[in-house]
């Protein structure tokens, strides 16, 4: 389990780092945020499809996953005092 988590974290870091390296300086942060949101949604979609959900259900599920991730990030930011 720990190995799978480390591999997933390394893959996310690699993908986002590649995006930052390829984008021009003013849009690096927005590009990294977009890539992270896309990865979260894509993983939610893949989980739903592997569980047997239809295409439309998987899209809705991935949107709920993304909204949940945004809410968690906002709460963490609020609680951290930033």
């Amino acid at each position: 389990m720990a190995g799978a988590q480390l591999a997933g974290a390394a893959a996310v870091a690699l993908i986002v780092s590649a995006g930052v390296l390829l984008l021009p300086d003013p849009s690096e942060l927005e590009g990294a945020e977009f890539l992270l949101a896309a990865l979260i949604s894509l993983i939610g979609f893949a989980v739903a499809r592997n569980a047997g959900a239809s295409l439309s259900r998987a899209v809705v599920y991935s949107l709920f996953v993304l909204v949940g991730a945004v809410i968690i990030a906002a709460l963490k930011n609020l609680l951290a005092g930033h």
Side-chain angles (χ1 to χ4, degrees):
M1 183 67 85
Q5 288 181 354
L6 286 172
V12 168
L14 183 66
I15 291 168
V16 174
S17 296
V20 168
L21 290 173
L22 296 174
L23 292 172
D25 284 342
S27 60
E28 287 176 344
L29 180 60
E30 291 85 10
E33 291 170 348
F34 176 78
L35 282 171
L36 288 171
L39 285 171
I40 290 169
S41 295
L42 183 63
I43 291 168
F45 180 81
V47 166
R49 288 297 283 175
N50 285 335
S54 66
L55 182 63
S56 58
R57 231 169 212 222
V59 169
V60 171
Y61 180 78
S62 68
L63 290 174
F64 276 112
V65 168
L66 182 59
V67 168
V70 169
I71 290 170
I72 290 170
L75 284 173
K76 287 176 74 172
N77 194 22
L78 180 70
L79 294 173
H82 291 105

